[in-house]
Amino acid sequence: MESSELDKTLHKYIDAFLGVPAANDYDESGRRDGLAHFFRDIASSNIAPTALRDESAIIGEMQKRVAGSGRGTRSALQVSRLCGLLQQQNPGFNWWPVLYLLLECSTSAVLPKIAAAPSSYISNHHNRVHGSRYDSRTSPMLPPPQPGLHSQQRHDLGIPRYGTPSAIPHGMSEFAGGNTSALPAQAYSRGELGNPASNAPPPEEQSNAYLHRNLPTYDDVSEAALLQDLIYVLQGIDGTYVHWNSMTSSYTVNPEVKLSRPTRAMVTLLSELGGLTRDVQSYISEVERDGRLFEQSFCTELKVEMSTYYKLVSEIEGRLFKVPRTLRPGESQLGVTLRRMYCWTTEARQKLRLMATAIAKVQEGSGGGTVLSTISTLVDDGDPFIQSFAKRLLKTASAPFNHILVSWVTDGELVDPYKEFFIRERESRRDMFWSEKYTVASDMIPVHISGDMTRKIFQIGRSLNFLRVACDDAQWVAEGGPRTQLTGDISDTSDLEAFVYRSSSMVNERLMSVLRDKFDLMGHIEAIRRYLLFEQGDFALALMEVLENQMDRSGRSVMAHDLSAVLSSATRSSNAQHENPDRLSAIVLTFQEEGTKNRGWNEVTLTYNLSAPLSYVIPRSTMRQYFEVSHFLLRLRRIEHSLHTIWRHQMTESRAYLRSEELQRRKGTTRDGDKQADPLRQAMRQSSIACSEMIQFFHQVQRYIALNVIEGAWGEFIESTKEEIDIDSWNDAHSKYVDVIHEVVCGGSGPGFQRNLSGIFETTLRFISAVKELYNEQALSARRATSGAGAPAKENRESLSERLMRLRTSGNLFGSGQAAADPAAEHASQVRSTILRFKEQVKDIMRVLSHNTTSDLQFLVVTIDFNGTYTASA
């Protein structure tokens, strides 16, 4: 009977698995014929398999079945190797039906009996089952194939596929493409096949040692050649089979080289070290070329770690071809294997990954303190290995930061050539030496330095620099400054914090002591209050008297030296002559605008010139507020003084008029009704009453500003500066004191006295001018009445009339400047109109002040209208 093609193929597979039988062993031949017949029945069945057509899933299931049968990992690896050889011989062939057939054969319950039964049993068994169809229910369901199995090649730690000569059947050598004669000869007998446990090695030898020495590989490149290549790759150098791929930015194996999937995965994992090494070395080279100070220090620690890594690579290279003296069963003759190299480089891989992560974050930042902030985030990691490694990096990287910090907090010098420190020096005006010379760059503050510590570090260095440069106290900075407190290592955060707080207290106390004792800070502030704010009454009165006499001259003839003489005369005429000479020399009476041509009362102002270093501490804006308040108070004092002068003149004229009336009454020349009918006398009386009202009004305003505003704010300022505070806190308290005064007087953000009283000032000045003209007219009338109609009297009358006309026309103070037919009636009308306008303006300001919620201002309204005059006439 001729054998079919299927029978020949089945016999070929059986011989491949069981080996070629002896020529005269008929029992064995009959047994194999029965197996072929049984397999032909399975192959000819029309039942479709229920498993998915996935070779990888079938191979995995076969390995599980073999491993679960108790034959160990050797048999499972042998199955994988054999399947790999099949796929390598014919890659385009669909091996899934064959593998599925073998799997179904292994699951049949009759196979163990066939393997040990005689040929008669096989023949009888064939006769029993020949007529029956294959029942798919006897085969267990295969598990579905795992998705993405091939995509996990890079992440799985696969095992290279090897085999042993003893594990490869004789008939399989031609499928493997190998030479059977090249393999060590090994006896194969039916007894050995039937009792495999008789020659099984001890359990301690049944290990993965077969993966190295005893199992041959089917990779195109030997493990030794790959290891040699990887030695170069670990140093970032291309090898023979592993090259740098610029597109993927990683090392890849030459695609023409055929490697098993586990081997390729292991090479890929080890090649990751080469990519990380290239990244680290590239960053180090870049920083060495044009890096800044903090980055250079960071690279110093990276170089140390890379030196340790290169030592490890050197040790691995030294062991590569060094055969161990003693070999355990199954151990490789190579001193280094892929898996050993992977295990030895595990810690180095973690370090390189950490360094690459830190480098990436540092490059994302702006340098400087962000370098330390990046490493500090790694220090807070929960992994002890990452934490200890990051601490070493931080300690080395923070060395230049600590050097700059020590120089700043001990000497007040900023040694920062690359502007990496969080304190920056900038060009500023000399008078802004304290406030604007140094600033804080918030984006450069390391995360381990808190906000309060940042402020104190900034304050310490700035104060030391101010003491050394502006206060000429360099000796104390060098011998008794914070350097004496530097005992611990400031690289530790707790030691740094303790040192900063001790030094801050010491430096602030020294700076305030120097400013108060050596440069008389509080004395100058007190002098400003007394002289610029006119709190010293005798000086203010003397200045108004001398200044009024000087300003009565033509405004253009008043020069700067004339004002200096006025101030000197006022100083000698008051208790200011006993003041400290340094404070007196700082007071200056000058014009607001030096180039102006119309130098009148409105241009005169009193200033205070602070000398260094006080002019550096007190901002220019604060002094400008002082000058604005002083200018307003000077105008207020001037008007009040002019009203007092007018009042004294009215009292003098009133007494003279009463004496004249008495004399006329005694002579019998007085006529009844002249007094009531004379409009000049009525206007004088009204002006006298209005002058008293104006004096009372301005006196209440001046009293409120002096007592309630200036003295109240001064008391709070003194109370807030009693404690030991730094210069910034003192400056804040002083600015608050000046702001309160400026807000009320000049109206910093709302309507202050300066805006509300500007109209009243103008009305009052008009009233003063009108009253003066009125009394000049009254003096002219009195002289005309006493001198008769003679020529001298007429000439005198004409000269007085011409002067009055000039006063009326100059400045266009009243009306259009044209002469009236009756000068007395005109002057009386002007006085009455200014009085009415003054009362209306007072009512307006009282209405505004009454809506204010401040109790002091409401009390001011009460004091102004104490007798209800303005309320009753409303």
Side-chain angles (χ1 to χ4, degrees), residues 474-490:
Q475 183 177 1
W476 180 87
V477 174
E479 298 177 358
R483 188 174 293 276
T484 59
Q485 302 291 325
L486 187 61
T487 56
D489 184 12
I490 65 171

Side-chain angles (χ1 to χ4, degrees), residues 32-46:
R32 296 191 180 193
D33 290 340
L35 285 173
H37 201 69
F38 177 73
F39 293 152
R40 187 173 59 249
D41 290 341
I42 298 175
S44 60
S45 63
N46 294 325

Side-chain angles (χ1 to χ4, degrees), residues 91 275 286 305 308 325 330 375 399 441 491 532 537 541 564 679 721 812 855:
E286 180 184 352
E305 294 296 336
T308 306
R325 294 181 180 180
I375 305 175
S491 59
L532 253 67
L541 181 61
S564 299
T721 56
N812 196 16
S855 58

Side-chain angles (χ1 to χ4, degrees), residues 29-317:
S29 298
R31 212 169 112 184
R32 296 191 180 193
D33 290 340
L35 285 173
H37 201 69
F38 177 73
F39 293 152
R40 187 173 59 249
D41 290 341
I42 298 175
S44 60
S45 63
N46 294 325
I47 302 175
T50 59
L52 296 176
R53 297 178 178 269
D54 190 348
E55 294 181 9
S56 300
I58 295 295
I59 295 173
E61 182 65 22
M62 293 173 68
Q63 288 179 317
K64 290 181 181 179
R65 296 292 174 84
V66 173
S69 63
R71 283 177 284 180
T73 59
R74 177 181 178 181
S75 300
L77 293 175
Q78 183 179 355
V79 171
S80 176
R81 183 186 64 82
L82 292 174
C83 294
L85 289 173
L86 290 174
Q87 295 174 348
Q88 186 178 10
Q89 286 295 324
N90 194 353
F93 184 75
N94 185 14
W95 290 101
W96 182 87
V98 179
L99 297 176
Y100 184 76
L101 173 64
L102 296 177
L103 178 64
E104 289 298 323
C105 292
S106 68
T107 59
S108 178
V110 74
L111 290 181
K113 299 179 181 179
I114 295 176
S119 58
S120 60
Y121 172 80
I122 295 181
S123 177
N124 295 334
H125 178 73
H126 169 70
N127 294 332
R128 289 196 304 269
V129 302
H130 180 69
S132 62
R133 292 291 181 181
Y134 173 74
D135 189 2
S136 62
R137 291 173 295 180
T138 61
S139 177
M141 297 292 292
L142 293 176
Q146 300 179 1
L149 187 63
H150 297 283
S151 65
Q152 298 178 2
Q153 173 182 0
R154 187 174 181 181
H155 304 288
D156 297 339
L157 296 180
I159 303 175
R161 295 165 183 164
Y162 300 92
T164 62
S166 61
I168 302 177
H170 299 287
M172 198 66 183
S173 60
E174 56 186 87
F175 286 96
N179 190 2
T180 312
S181 60
L183 299 175
Q186 182 174 0
Y188 180 85
S189 64
R190 187 181 302 170
E192 292 174 349
L193 180 63
N195 188 17
S198 60
N199 295 326
E204 61 272 6
E205 296 184 7
Q206 296 180 359
S207 62
N208 56 5
Y210 297 102
L211 298 175
H212 302 289
R213 187 178 64 178
N214 296 333
L215 302 180
T217 181
Y218 61 88
D219 297 329
D220 289 352
V221 182
S222 64
E223 185 177 14
L226 289 175
L227 289 170
Q228 284 183 339
D229 239 27
L230 287 173
I231 291 297
Y232 290 101
V233 172
L234 292 181
Q235 302 175 65
I237 306 172
D238 288 357
T240 304
Y241 309 105
V242 184
H243 305 280
W244 176 257
N245 190 340
S246 58
M247 296 182 63
T248 60
S249 298
S250 62
Y251 280 97
T252 57
V253 182
N254 190 343
E256 297 180 357
V257 177
K258 295 182 180 180
L259 296 177
S260 62
R261 188 170 62 182
T263 304
R264 188 178 294 272
M266 187 64 69
V267 172
T268 302
L269 286 173
L270 290 170
S271 300
E272 181 189 0
L273 292 168
L276 295 173
T277 302
R278 285 175 63 97
D279 294 341
V280 175
Q281 287 294 353
S282 175
Y283 176 74
I284 291 175
S285 301
E286 180 184 352
V287 171
E288 287 180 346
R289 184 174 60 254
D290 51 4
R292 295 185 291 181
L293 199 61
F294 284 26
E295 295 173 348
Q296 292 175 5
S297 181
F298 173 58
C299 287
T300 301
E301 184 62 26
L302 295 182
K303 292 178 182 178
V304 173
E305 294 296 336
M306 292 304 296
S307 299
T308 306
Y309 169 72
Y310 287 137
K311 289 180 182 178
L312 174 63
V313 175
S314 178
E315 292 177 1
I316 295 175
E317 184 180 11

Side-chain angles (χ1 to χ4, degrees), residues 46 58 94 101 108 265 289 338 362 372 374 378 421-422 451 484 596-597 690 698 750 780 848:
N46 294 325
I58 295 295
N94 185 14
L101 173 64
S108 178
R289 184 174 60 254
L338 290 174
V362 167
L372 306 183
T374 300
L378 298 177
F421 200 54
F422 63 88
T484 59
T596 183
K597 296 181 179 180
F698 286 108
L780 180 61
V848 173

Side-chain angles (χ1 to χ4, degrees), residues 430-434 466 470-471 511-512 514-525 528 582-583 586 608-620 622-623 727 730-731 734:
R430 186 68 177 174
D431 59 334
M432 309 299 288
F433 182 82
W434 171 259
F466 192 79
C471 300
L511 179 58
M512 291 303 299
V514 169
L515 291 178
R516 283 174 174 171
D517 300 338
K518 184 177 180 180
F519 296 100
D520 193 20
L521 175 62
M522 294 303 297
H524 283 282
I525 300 300
I528 292 175
D582 293 336
R583 303 175 191 174
Y608 197 93
N609 294 334
L610 287 172
S611 60
L614 299 184
S615 59
Y616 305 155
V617 175
I618 301 177
R620 176 179 291 184
T622 302
M623 296 304 298
I727 189 63
W730 183 92
N731 227 336
H734 179 249

Side-chain angles (χ1 to χ4, degrees), residues 129 203 357 450 510 532 563 850:
V129 302
T357 301
S450 62
R510 176 66 181 183
L532 253 67
L563 297 182
S850 61

Side-chain angles (χ1 to χ4, degrees), residues 780 783 787-799:
L780 180 61
R783 184 170 300 179
S787 61
K794 183 178 180 180
E795 295 176 0
N796 191 15
R797 181 178 182 276
E798 291 177 355
S799 62

